[in-house]
Amino acid sequence: MNNYRKSETYIFYAWLIALIATLAAIFIGEIMGQMPCQLCWYQRIAMFPLAIILGTASFNKDSNIVFHALPIALVGVGIAAWHSLLYAGIVPEPIRPCSQTGPSCLGEGQTIFGFLSLPYLSLFAFTIITICLVMSLKWRKNNE
């Protein structure tokens, strides 16, 4: 398997994670009826386009998409990390946008299956996508 093929495989894996995360967010909001908080919306703004552009790139075998998708994934990691810090209670109380108005990820019943919190799941998804994109870039550069 050549390095470009390995690069495309990592893009495919990143797309699968983005697709699963996107479908899960839609399921949680539309089927389970849990309204997203403000930070969840920002994370969706980063995740939904990743599902589209990584899917398109994967099927077109376009490894150049890494240069466009990686900044979006890194923004998602930053927002999800901030959200996770809020959820964990590490960030002081006065700057919790999650609980000021509207729905909150910090309250009761804001977990999946009773133990998986949405902020941590989002951070995990964005981190895995970022790792896949960096690995794709690494394999691509090894071929040059």
Side-chain angles (χ1 to χ4, degrees):
M1 181 182 283
N2 67 21
N3 289 342
Y4 275 120
R5 180 79 174 142
K6 289 179 183 177
S7 176
E8 293 166 359
T9 301
Y10 279 109
I11 291 171
F12 179 76
Y13 293 152
W15 171 67
L16 281 179
I17 298 297
L19 180 64
I20 291 167
T22 297
L23 293 174
I26 293 169
F27 177 80
I28 290 166
E30 298 301 320
I31 306 300
M32 295 178 67
Q34 291 183 3
M35 294 300 299
C37 70
Q38 183 179 12
L39 289 174
C40 288
W41 276 116
Y42 294 149
Q43 291 167 73
R44 286 177 178 203
I45 290 169
M47 186 63 74
F48 289 4
L50 283 175
I52 295 169
I53 63 174
L54 290 173
T56 303
S58 181
F59 288 104
N60 289 331
K61 300 186 184 320
D62 179 13
S63 61
N64 289 323
I65 199 64
V66 171
F67 299 108
H68 303 288
L70 189 57
I72 298 170
L74 289 172
V75 167
V77 166
I79 296 168
W82 176 254
H83 197 186
S84 295
L85 291 172
L86 287 171
Y87 185 82
I90 296 172
V91 174
E93 187 74 32
I95 50 176
R96 285 189 172 202
C98 221
S99 60
Q100 289 176 353
T101 60
S104 173
C105 289
L106 304 173
E108 293 287 321
Q110 294 299 315
T111 57
I112 304 301
F113 307 119
F115 63 93
L116 295 173
S117 71
L118 299 178
Y120 297 151
L121 287 171
S122 178
L123 179 60
F124 179 73
F126 277 115
T127 301
I128 296 299
I129 290 168
T130 300
I131 290 169
C132 286
L133 293 175
V134 168
M135 291 302 294
S136 174
L137 191 59
K138 175 190 172 239
W139 283 108
R140 188 174 183 273
K141 286 192 177 194
N142 283 345
N143 202 37
E144 293 175 353

